[in-house]
Amino acid sequence: EDFGSIAKQVIDDYQKVRSIYINSKSLASNELPKFARSAVQTLPTFDADTAHDETTFWKLVETWQMLCNTIRQSKRTMLQNIVNELSVNVAMRA
């Protein structure tokens, strides 16, 4: 019972996040690198039956993890670009 409840929440959360990133008008879609914006359109959907099939459930977890890692790497790259620009500006003033 507890696993089913947790699995349902995970599936619901994934579906919400997926829809946010699929929506091209969403500000969140801009967090993705350009190459990932089209790839996110192909993210699979999952339903309540996912919780009853171990293989499919772990596919959901793996897909969610890839999406999160892509977003994290994109943010890291954007922040690194800012740091690089600041470093260049400071170096040129010295």
Side-chain angles (χ1 to χ4, degrees), residues 11-54:
I11 293 164
D12 290 346
D13 289 350
Y14 168 81
Q15 294 295 81
K16 288 175 190 170
V17 170
R18 178 185 178 274
S19 68
I20 288 169
Y21 283 100
I22 284 179
N23 181 356
S24 62
K25 295 185 188 329
S26 167
L27 291 175
S29 69
N30 293 327
E31 293 180 356
L32 294 170
K34 289 181 182 178
F35 73 87
R37 289 181 193 160
S38 59
V40 78
Q41 299 294 327
T42 64
L43 287 174
T45 59
F46 296 95
D47 57 26
D49 293 334
T50 300
H52 303 294
D53 179 23
E54 183 179 325

Side-chain angles (χ1 to χ4, degrees), residues 38-80:
S38 59
V40 78
Q41 299 294 327
T42 64
L43 287 174
T45 59
F46 296 95
D47 57 26
D49 293 334
T50 300
H52 303 294
D53 179 23
E54 183 179 325
T55 303
T56 307
F57 181 76
W58 285 112
K59 178 69 176 167
L60 162 69
V61 172
E62 183 179 278
T63 303
W64 182 302
Q65 185 177 29
M66 286 188 309
L67 177 60
C68 291
N69 287 337
T70 301
I71 295 163
R72 187 182 77 227
Q73 185 61 36
S74 176
K75 287 183 178 189
R76 180 181 290 153
T77 301
M78 287 188 280
L79 289 173
Q80 188 61 50

